Amino acid sequence: MAKFLNSKLFRCLSVFIFLNSTISPLKSSSALAAWELDNNGVLELRTKSNTNLKAYFQKSNQIFGDRFWIDFPGELRNPRTIKGNGPIKEIRLGKPKKGSTRLVIEFKEATDLSPLTWRLIGLNQNRWKIKLFKPKYPFKKISEGVVEKSIRNVKANQKSTYIKKRGHDSLQLPNVKQNKYSVVIDPGHGGPDPGAIGIGGLRETDIVLEVAKIVEKLLSEKGVKVRLTRKNEVDLDLAPRVSFANRIDADIFVSIHANASRGKRRDINGLETFYYRGWRGRLLAKRIQKEILRVSPGSPDRGVKQGRFYVIKNTKMPAVLVEIGFLTGRLDARRLEKTTHRKRIAYAISKGILEYLSKIR
Ligand code: ZN
């Protein structure tokens, strides 16, 4: 149980703030002018003069590796990803929000880092350096001499790069008050009850458990207490799922399922979210439904509906049951068999939950 109370997965171990003056809002282009990660593992930056820099570190979890990033004022026009080598998986330049630039260094999973020793050093008004790692093997430097190229070059590939490279990690999810909310995620079925069986033997119980575990991680990283009703393939009746959520007085309850159509019709696909009654349940269902549809283009919107399912009828808190697609449907099954899509669905459910929580307060 303690494992699921750990809300410290997201840790900003080091935050450095330098120089108080900020860039004038009129000059809104990115303050990052150039950067280089050299063959000794030292990151050097060139910025506009008198720039405020903020650096962050996030420890790896089972989904993502270690990650270091720096935020700069001024908006980057052309978000992009640069392939890494050695311990570096990739380096991304993005705009986390309007008017800002973020340089993200993604490390490979097994990299040994000591972020507590990291210091971002200002060499002068517009140059910075930080030693991130000591290469164990020859490391090829990665750099960009000019961060903002002329607008003409940028426009051609701007849109496609940004959409394609947008990740699904907790960094981009809405923030809610830390340690305030508790959420119960209920992966449907389990053990001797596999739930729906789809094309190619795809089993509902496996898919919803994987999705639930990713939701748990993403929400935990946002400071939400998450409990799963089951963590593995166990036989679990509906009543204990409900009594568990009621006993711990969770703020919301989300049951995750995948559908099967009668006669296993391959032409039936789509997503739907149920609530039992009340505007809160309905609002939560609407938020989740909207987000899961966004990551499932082409799959029909079967809507937000009232349903009398035991787990949402008998839980005391706002509760929903989400059907993330038809395992018997050609379109949905092809997606749900892929881990990438399960991650996307988990991200979408997490986003819906966080948006609901930030609205409800
Ligand atoms: Zn089910």
Side-chain angles (χ1 to χ4, degrees):
M1 182 74 73
K3 195 179 157 207
F4 299 98
L5 291 168
N6 183 4
S7 58
K8 285 187 183 160
L9 279 173
F10 179 89
R11 273 181 291 187
C12 288
L13 283 182
S14 344
V15 180
F16 314 89
I17 303 174
F18 283 82
L19 304 173
N20 284 323
S21 52
T22 45
I23 295 280
S24 122
L26 287 171
K27 293 180 198 164
S28 59
S29 65
S30 180
L32 176 62
W35 59 271
E36 176 181 292
L37 184 56
D38 73 14
N39 53 13
N40 293 312
V42 174
L43 176 68
E44 279 207 50
L45 307 166
R46 194 155 51 76
T47 63
K48 289 181 180 173
S49 294
N50 300 332
T51 298
N52 274 319
L53 296 190
K54 287 182 185 177
Y56 304 88
F57 176 73
Q58 182 182 4
K59 228 184 126 24
S60 66
N61 57 40
Q62 280 162 34
I63 311 171
F64 309 106
D66 287 332
R67 170 183 292 163
F68 168 76
W69 71 99
I70 305 182
D71 284 347
F72 305 82
E75 186 164 313
L76 183 81
R77 282 194 300 260
N78 178 26
R80 54 193 175 266
T81 301
I82 298 114
K83 211 173 145 3
N85 73 90
I88 305 298
K89 187 172 164 235
E90 64 183 34
I91 296 181
R92 288 196 305 274
L93 276 86
K95 44 178 165 190
K97 56 179 192 274
K98 222 173 160 11
S100 73
T101 297
R102 178 172 289 172
L103 174 79
V104 185
I105 299 181
E106 294 276 5
F107 291 90
K108 287 182 182 157
E109 270 148 50
T111 309
D112 224 356
L113 298 171
S114 353
L116 287 171
T117 66
W118 287 355
R119 291 288 173 269
L120 182 61
I121 300 161
L123 300 170
N124 61 33
Q125 284 217 325
N126 55 10
R127 283 184 58 226
W128 314 84
K129 75 173 194 183
I130 176 168
K131 170 117 182 153
L132 294 175
F133 63 94
K134 201 170 166 183
K136 288 191 186 120
Y137 306 98
F139 174 73
K140 272 203 305 267
K141 76 166 189 185
I142 314 168
S143 65
E144 286 189 314
V146 185
V147 166
E148 291 282 40
K149 301 189 179 80
S150 79
I151 292 177
R152 207 154 40 93
N153 294 341
V154 161
K155 277 207 168 147
N157 55 19
Q158 180 169 9
K159 212 172 171 190
S160 59
T161 317
Y162 189 54
I163 290 169
K164 207 164 64 206
K165 295 298 182 189
R166 209 171 58 174
H168 292 98
D169 56 62
S170 65
L171 275 183
Q172 287 139 331
L173 287 170
N175 291 316
V176 292
K177 206 158 181 233
Q178 299 260 318
N179 305 320
K180 183 170 179 209
Y181 300 105
S182 94
V183 170
V184 169
I185 303 292
D186 173 44
H189 313 278
D193 164 24
I197 305 285
I199 297 170
L202 219 50
R203 292 178 355 138
E204 179 182 357
T205 181
D206 303 328
I207 292 172
V208 298
L209 182 60
E210 187 185 329
V211 169
K213 284 181 174 174
I214 304 171
V215 171
E216 182 200 18
K217 285 213 170 65
L218 292 171
L219 292 180
S220 301
E221 287 178 12
K222 285 288 171 183
V224 175
K225 284 181 203 160
V226 183
R227 271 87 149 200
L228 301 186
T229 52
R230 68 176 177 98
K231 294 170 245 171
N232 41 43
E233 287 306 330
V234 290
D235 191 9
L236 186 61
D237 280 341
L238 299 179
R241 299 176 198 243
V242 167
S243 56
F244 172 63
N246 287 344
R247 192 173 63 241
I248 66 166
D249 197 21
D251 292 298
I252 59 172
F253 177 93
V254 177
S255 190
I256 304 175
H257 288 254
N259 253 323
S261 60
R262 267 198 206 109
K264 304 208 165 189
R265 285 177 52 179
R266 296 195 173 205
D267 58 327
I268 296 181
N269 298 279
L271 301 102
E272 54 196 354
T273 307
F274 296 90
Y275 68 104
Y276 174 56
R277 67 171 166 218
W279 66 271
R280 284 191 175 85
R282 184 176 147 78
L283 178 64
L284 176 59
K286 275 169 82 173
R287 297 280 156 172
I288 292 176
Q289 177 72 5
K290 185 178 147 211
E291 295 303 328
I292 56 175
L293 283 170
R294 278 166 67 131
V295 298
S296 314
S299 195
D301 178 5
R302 296 169 62 92
V304 165
K305 302 166 181 171
Q306 278 189 282
R308 303 176 60 82
F309 300 104
Y310 184 92
V311 290
I312 54 172
K313 192 180 162 193
N314 293 290
T315 30
K316 287 184 201 149
M317 64 292 308
V320 301
L321 186 148
V322 50
E323 295 278 3
I324 60 176
F326 278 82
L327 297 180
T328 46
R330 202 177 286 115
L331 175 70
D332 290 350
R334 202 184 295 148
R335 282 196 179 127
L336 286 165
E337 70 182 12
K338 294 197 184 93
T339 310
T340 47
H341 183 67
R342 297 178 201 173
K343 280 185 187 170
R344 268 184 223 124
I345 285 282
Y347 174 86
I349 292 172
S350 306
K351 191 170 177 198
I353 290 172
L354 290 165
E355 277 179 353
Y356 168 86
L357 292 175
S358 63
K359 198 121 203 151
I360 286 301
R361 299 176 346 115

